[in-house]
């Protein structure tokens, strides 16, 4: 390794991406040459282990890695369960930890009695059983789904003290596989006047939203599989509408019908909810695409750096408009920035893991990340977002997140 | 769609990849214009659904999708549990269904008392706790792991009648994230004379194997995460050696030490086992790389085509030498071949999903797939494999698999 690998890449101890662990950054423990630690066998090497299982579960030592439920006491099936982002690595979200957002609980659907109906402004109303859909040509998409309300605590005037998962955990990323919706629309034959579809789920809320027909023809799928296996009940079993890059509420779970129309239905979840009140009192509606965003998951609120020296800054970046082009990190509150490494493969409308090398010298630091997407859009500082949209937006918060590290290594959420 | 989209791409009803479902291939059910099916709400829309859960599980309607255990009655922890490949779609294997191969069961390891030791021909023996490893720079690899003994029923003189998972299910594909081993080797400082490492697991078998040091420096990682979350116990919790593209037994689970040497250890699992007896009575040893291979998962043994008309041929292809370059399918037993579509992203040493359009006319057919990898290696016909290696190989079977469809749509395994 050349000497300049330890040259700072930016202020506050950010190192070049090639920086490794040499010269004072070693984290291993050296053993005396004669050490016989290898000879000491723990008790689990002395007795046979447990037998095979038909379906595996996490280790009992990982039982704290769970979704955080934030429900409505009066309506137990209305609320959210958030992905513990700070406990994860890589970009796939295990299906058991995929976030949940329900309006009236998770229906228990018999797949033999469920199907999809396409009707309204069509040449011929058509319906498909789940078994029929399984025979269609399939496609897979590795994409995130993010709730439009994710990170909305960011609009609060004071920085709410919560970790990444409890604050920003209404996003998850899966491999979704199913039938391209364009095939099914072709069979039903949309009328010339059809420009919207009202998608409805088979839950007790009969969740419905309006989706432009152009998006359904573009890259939408009727998903049957998630991360290799059939959908989980809380993610729409047996059928979910997946609209890559578009806000979560439009990715209708337990999909039962698409009603083609010439106008949106103006459902509760596209008028009273999932719209964004602006500073001038008017509201943005149909802001479908999830904008460019990133988040440092380590170090992050609630963690504590136990030692000075090398730490890897890790996080997620994503954009509903395409690929993440670049992520920059700062350790001095945004005065200087260094480019983070992006883990390949970098995929469109998919979470991307970024990593950067940082040497903490024990003094206070403010860590930030900002993502730039393929369209050139740059994740905004919170102040710029607030200046543009006021404090009543509620949805589509994508401001830069800042974590302050104090001189004892404690990490808290700050506006900086 | 142009007319030639339905021109055959090869014999037996294989269609061009653009072939859709028009003109007699429609699988939907048309509804009378006045149908009011949309008004009939199933009972699960009439009562609130179940509340949120901290860790999700598959639908109770999917309880038949499980690993198939094939154990040793005398040694319950010795055997395999196979991935039900025919029930999956996409390329990720859900961690709960990742195959298992154990020699003495799954140890219950306390991560606070586990770590990695690198010793032997090193400048300084070093050890790392799990917590220390979590601080290192990480890397993710989307790769398959395949047992060297996968598909070995293919050596049987008669075609064994089993479905894809029960026959070929000792392969799974995950996103593995952990510490590049090259970083840890740099810290311990390998001696000039070190060319092998003996990797040992912390199970009651003390599973050990020899791995060339060059592979460990190349793309090996000490994995801590699988599909986003910490490893599952049966896949090595808390540490697994992942060697992309190399046979499963070398991807040592519950990794506890790497002993650097100048020669392989000649352990049981690289001499008596995981070697391949040739026709001339000599054995191949240290055949590390898993060769190019593919498998049609649908239609496949045990399935039954209920109707003539459109069916999608689906399967997996992979190679331990790099990316899959091309997959070809045949519906006439190999007399003619058509190119299948490969689902993006196509990644090196990773499973790749292929799909092809097929119209079954109701007459007998023999379906085959063959993969070609980035090195130009072509998956061999079984007869060629047997001519080259005899029938006693046991390991590294990668012959083309043939499924016969009879005139009633029943699918069986054949040598053809």
């Amino acid at each position: 390794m050349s000497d300049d690998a330890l040259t700072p890449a930016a202020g506050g101890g950010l190192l070049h991406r090639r920086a490794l662990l040499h010269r004072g950054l070693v984290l291993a423990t050296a053993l005396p040459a004669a050490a016989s630690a290898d000879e000491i066998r723990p008790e689990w090497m002395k007795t046979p282990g447990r037998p095979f299982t038909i379906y595996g579960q996490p280790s009992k030592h990982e039982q704290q890695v769970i979704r955080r439920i934030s429900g409505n006491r009066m309506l137990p099936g209305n609320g959210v369960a958030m992905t513990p982002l700070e406990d994860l690595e890589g970009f796939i979200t295990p299906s058991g930890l995929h976030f949940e957002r329900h309006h009236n609980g998770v229906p228990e659907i018999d797949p033999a009695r469920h199907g999809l109906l396409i009707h309204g402004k069509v040449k011929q109303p058509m319906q498909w059983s789940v078994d029929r859909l399984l025979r269609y040509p399939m496609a897979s998409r590795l994409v995130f789904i993010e709730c439009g309300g994710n990170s909305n605590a960011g609009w609060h005037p004071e920085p709410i003290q919560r970790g990444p998962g409890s604050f920003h955990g209404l996003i998850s990323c899966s491999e979704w596989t199913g039938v391209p919706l364009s095939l099914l629309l072709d069979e039903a034959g949309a009328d010339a006047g059809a420009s919207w579809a009202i998608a409805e789920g088979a839950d007790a809320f009969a969740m419905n939203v309006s989706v432009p027909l152009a998006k359904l023809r573009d890259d939408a799928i009727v998903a049957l599989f998630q991360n290799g296996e059939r959908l989980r009940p809380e993610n729409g079993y047996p059928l979910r509408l997946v609209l890559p890059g578009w806000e979560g509420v439009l990715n209708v779970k337990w999909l039962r019908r698409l009603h083609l129309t010439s106008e949106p239905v103006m459902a509760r979840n596209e008028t009273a909810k999932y719209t964004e009140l602006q500073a001038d009192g008017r509201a943005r509606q149909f802001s479908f695409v999830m904008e460019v965003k990133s988040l440092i998951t380590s170090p992050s609120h609630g963690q504590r750096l136990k030692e000075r020296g090398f730490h890897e800054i890790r996080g997620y970046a994503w954009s509903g408009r395409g690929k993440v082009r670049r992520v920059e990190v700062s350790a001095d509150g945004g005065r200087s920035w260094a480019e983070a490494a992006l883990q390949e493969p970098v995929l469109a409308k998919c979470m991307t893991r970024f990593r950067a090398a940082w040497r903490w010298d024990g003094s206070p630091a403010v860590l930030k990340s900002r993502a730039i997407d393929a369209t050139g859009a740059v994740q905004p500082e919170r102040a710029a977002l607030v200046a543009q949209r006021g404090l009543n937006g509620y949805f589509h918060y994508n401001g830069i997140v800042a974590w302050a590290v104090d001189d004892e290594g404690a990490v808290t959420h700050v506006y900086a």
Side-chain angles (χ1 to χ4, degrees), chain A:
Chain A
M1 191 176 69
S2 70
D3 279 342
D4 66 16
L6 286 184
T7 309
L14 285 169
L15 305 177
H16 277 292
R17 284 191 283 162
R18 289 176 293 112
L20 298 184
L21 308 172
H22 296 271
R23 300 192 188 96
L25 294 175
V26 170
L27 296 176
T29 305
L31 290 181
S36 57
D38 56 302
E39 297 304 321
I40 302 163
R41 293 192 164 192
E43 67 268 24
W44 47 77
M45 294 186 75
K46 295 173 184 166
T47 52
R50 71 157 170 74
F52 299 86
T53 48
I54 56 174
Y55 197 94
Q57 300 296 339
S59 163
K60 69 176 190 184
H61 297 285
E62 301 297 324
Q63 284 178 348
Q64 78 287 5
V65 180
I66 54 173
R67 294 192 280 231
R68 282 70 178 263
I69 298 171
S70 178
N72 180 331
R73 231 176 274 181
M74 304 298 289
L75 294 166
N78 188 325
V80 295
M82 307 179 84
T83 297
L85 299 172
E86 62 273 30
D87 293 320
L88 306 183
E89 245 298 342
F91 74 96
I92 297 285
T93 308
S95 299
L97 295 172
H98 193 290
F99 86 87
E100 301 180 73
R101 165 75 180 111
H102 312 309
H103 296 78
N104 202 353
V106 178
E108 166 54 50
I109 297 179
D110 177 357
R113 294 177 50 217
H114 186 81
L116 174 65
L117 170 69
I118 297 183
H119 64 149
K121 289 188 171 291
V122 293
K123 293 193 179 42
Q124 173 62 56
M126 290 281 200
Q127 65 182 5
W128 296 263
S129 68
V130 172
D131 270 352
R132 277 295 160 128
L133 288 172
L134 285 167
R135 272 187 55 191
Y136 273 72
M138 296 234 174
S140 301
R141 312 212 185 285
L142 283 154
V143 290
F144 71 82
I145 294 180
E146 183 180 17
C147 178
N150 195 28
S151 314
N152 63 29
W155 296 113
H156 198 277
E158 298 300 319
I160 305 272
Q161 296 304 319
R162 280 192 225 143
S166 304
F167 199 123
H168 307 277
L170 295 179
I171 182 166
S172 306
C173 191
S174 301
E175 184 194 32
W176 300 97
T177 300
V179 182
L181 197 50
S182 58
L183 294 178
L184 307 181
L185 290 169
D186 281 351
E187 290 201 1
D191 285 350
S195 53
W196 292 80
I198 301 156
E200 185 184 78
D203 60 331
F205 185 80
M207 173 72 208
N208 68 348
V209 293
S210 307
V211 183
L213 198 57
K215 176 67 175 178
L216 298 184
R217 288 197 181 287
D218 176 17
D219 61 357
I221 60 170
V222 178
L224 292 126
F225 295 85
Q226 178 186 7
N227 293 335
E229 66 193 341
R230 297 290 294 278
L231 302 184
R232 294 293 175 86
E234 66 270 29
N235 274 295
Y237 183 86
L239 300 178
R240 179 174 199 167
L241 181 62
V242 171
L243 301 178
W246 284 30
E247 61 183 358
V249 69
L250 300 164
N251 293 257
V252 175
K253 298 189 290 280
W254 318 296
L255 182 69
R256 70 187 293 255
R257 61 173 167 146
L258 292 166
H259 186 221
L260 271 54
T261 65
S262 53
E263 289 175 359
V265 66
M266 294 298 184
R268 176 158 184 252
N269 275 305
E270 61 200 40
T271 52
K273 305 279 181 183
Y274 299 96
T275 54
E276 298 123 67
L277 192 59
Q278 309 290 295
D280 65 1
R282 292 187 300 179
R284 295 203 314 182
Q285 191 184 19
F286 300 128
S287 43
F288 299 125
V289 180
M290 300 310 295
E291 299 291 350
V292 64
K293 195 164 166 182
S294 71
L295 174 71
I296 294 173
T297 52
S298 178
S300 64
H301 174 84
Q303 296 180 1
R304 188 184 191 89
L305 308 185
K306 292 176 193 153
E307 292 175 297
R308 301 176 185 198
F310 179 84
H311 293 270
E312 187 172 66
I313 295 174
R314 299 170 186 151
Y316 294 108
W318 63 95
S319 169
R321 298 200 183 274
K323 291 186 184 186
V324 171
R325 179 191 292 171
R326 192 165 80 246
V327 176
E328 297 166 338
V329 295
S330 174
D332 56 13
R335 284 199 301 280
S336 63
W337 298 86
E339 190 170 349
L342 303 184
Q343 175 70 57
E344 294 289 339
V346 177
L347 303 171
K349 307 177 186 180
C350 185
M351 288 174 91
T352 297
R353 176 62 66 173
F354 68 86
R355 303 184 177 106
W358 178 49
R359 186 156 51 175
W360 182 51
D361 66 4
S363 57
V366 174
L367 304 177
K368 288 182 173 183
S369 66
R370 74 176 170 203
I372 298 99
D373 73 15
T375 71
V378 181
Q379 183 181 8
E381 288 281 3
R382 180 177 182 279
L385 193 66
V386 169
Q388 187 200 348
R389 293 178 42 201
L391 284 168
N392 301 317
Y394 194 80
F395 294 97
H396 290 272
Y397 184 93
N398 71 326
I400 288 173
V401 177
W403 305 119
V405 181
D406 73 14
D407 55 10
E408 295 188 325
V411 188
T412 54
H413 180 212
V414 293
Y415 292 157

